[in-house]
Amino acid sequence: MSDVTIGLVGVGKIARDQHLPAIAATTGCRLVATADPFASLDDVPAYETLAAMLDDWPEITAVAICTPAHIRHTLARLALSHGKHVLLEKPPGATLSEVEDLIAMAAKQGVSLFAAWHSRFAPGVARAREWLAARCVHHVAIEWKEDVRVWHPGQAWIWQPGGMGVFDPGINALSVATTILPQPFFLRQARLLVPANCQTPIAAELSFADSQGGVMQADFDFRQTGPQIWDIHVETEAGRLSLTRGGCRLSIDGQLELEAQESEYATMYAHFAELIAAGQSDVDVAPLRHVADAFLYGYRESGDAFIESPVGSVAR
């Protein structure tokens, strides 16, 4: 298989922290250009727009889109119209309708579309799914708490419509839950805490149930200080499974089954290359649907305004 030559759209924090090292570490993938009106890399040809990049580099195989969600649909459509395979950072779009349109367009163009739920590629996720596949789930507890000031400094878009607020990390937990749990689950209640100066929540408490009597509680919070928490605990008739550290650590009934370093994005890009080679797409909208349900069905409470600085001043 020839190399997948990649044009990267959006050279912000997630691209620099994760996509660039992952592409460099993935055999068969090669970064050849970037498109971003505000940022560039020293050693890669840079363009202000995706259109300019595609015009100048028609041999690009694939485009990875790492922009805020509200502009991904337009960019992805442009790339697909040029016959390029497309990787979409999570969430794959600002709305479900946008993603459905991209799925149809990718199929029509005969190219691969990949909704890159990176947390699904954490080391313990596949084994957790295998263990849970034949078991009856009674209760699931998700605790996903991180400090927005650490992970999204200065990114005001996250508090605007389409930015998702605490669901930006929370959707990672939902992407794992929809992968490892053997039964679909459905939102029953939601409480969303929205700062007075924001349009998206800084914290959320969600209650779900499945059709077999299982229940799930999810607690998302963007105000966490100290140790960051990305944990999922599943109670079954055969014991308790704990997937912690964002999926890097798997324990069953307190017995450590797996512990590994985070390598989500490199594994994710390897999967993207495999999809392209096989002529397939991988676009699951389930995590985004659950977030949409929360915004549709959730009870909103207004909180104090979010002030990014000084550090330590946290909205409550």
Side-chain angles (χ1 to χ4, degrees):
M1 181 182 72
S2 58
D3 280 359
V4 177
T5 52
I6 297 173
L8 184 66
V9 184
V11 192
K13 189 174 189 301
I14 193 64
R16 293 175 186 271
D17 290 352
Q18 299 289 355
H19 288 262
L20 295 177
I23 294 169
T26 304
T27 301
C29 290
R30 181 164 55 92
L31 180 67
V32 296
T34 65
D36 189 314
F38 307 110
S40 62
L41 304 174
D42 293 337
D43 54 348
V44 179
Y47 300 87
E48 291 191 357
T49 67
L50 171 60
M53 183 177 74
L54 293 174
D55 287 343
D56 209 32
W57 283 82
E59 65 271 30
I60 282 176
T61 308
V63 171
I65 299 178
C66 307
T67 65
H70 69 279
I71 59 175
R72 285 186 193 148
H73 178 254
T74 300
L75 294 167
R77 256 193 157 271
L78 178 60
L80 292 171
S81 72
H82 281 71
K84 309 304 179 185
H85 308 289
V86 173
L87 180 153
L88 297 164
E89 243 295 353
K90 60 85 183 174
T95 68
L96 290 164
S97 298
E98 288 183 352
V99 183
E100 290 166 359
D101 177 63
L102 296 178
I103 291 171
M105 187 171 183
K108 181 179 179 181
Q109 293 292 102
V111 294
S112 298
L113 181 66
F114 178 31
W117 301 110
H118 63 83
S119 291
R120 288 182 170 177
F121 296 90
V125 170
R127 192 178 298 184
R129 180 178 185 174
E130 291 172 4
W131 192 84
L132 289 168
R135 290 176 166 84
C136 181
V137 172
H138 299 314
H139 185 267
V140 182
I142 298 176
E143 192 175 10
W144 218 261
K145 299 179 178 181
E146 61 183 55
D147 188 345
V148 66
R149 295 180 175 89
V150 172
W151 300 100
H152 296 279
Q155 296 179 357
W157 58 264
I158 208 163
W159 303 114
Q160 300 306 312
M164 302 204 333
V166 76
F167 285 105
D168 181 83
I171 204 170
N172 296 335
L174 293 171
S175 75
V176 174
T178 50
T179 298
I180 66 173
L181 297 177
Q183 298 290 333
F185 50 89
F186 309 95
L187 185 69
R188 295 297 180 239
Q189 289 183 323
R191 172 182 171 268
L192 313 179
L193 178 62
V194 183
N197 59 339
C198 299
Q199 297 295 316
T200 56
I202 199 167
E205 297 174 357
L206 311 175
S207 298
F208 300 87
D210 67 29
S211 60
Q212 305 301 311
V215 296
M216 182 170 80
Q217 304 293 322
D219 187 2
F220 303 152
D221 205 317
F222 241 165
R223 303 166 296 178
Q224 179 74 6
T225 57
Q228 309 290 278
I229 302 171
W230 303 294
D231 296 347
I232 300 177
H233 303 284
V234 185
E235 304 284 352
T236 78
E237 88 290 353
R240 173 185 171 95
L241 178 145
S242 293
L243 194 60
T244 57
R245 290 182 49 220
C248 289
R249 194 175 195 274
L250 174 65
S251 300
I252 297 174
D253 285 334
Q255 181 70 36
L256 182 64
E257 298 288 327
L258 179 149
E259 188 165 21
Q261 292 298 313
E262 185 274 320
S263 59
E264 296 173 5
Y265 277 81
T267 309
M268 185 182 81
Y269 268 96
H271 180 61
F272 185 39
E274 291 169 357
L275 290 172
I276 293 171
Q280 298 176 347
S281 290
D282 181 358
V283 190
D284 179 16
V285 299
L288 182 58
R289 185 183 293 118
H290 284 300
V291 172
D293 286 351
F295 276 98
L296 180 67
Y297 199 42
Y299 178 82
R300 287 166 173 77
E301 295 182 4
S302 181
D304 293 343
F306 172 77
I307 308 299
E308 175 141 5
S309 60
V311 173
S313 175
V314 180
R316 299 189 184 279

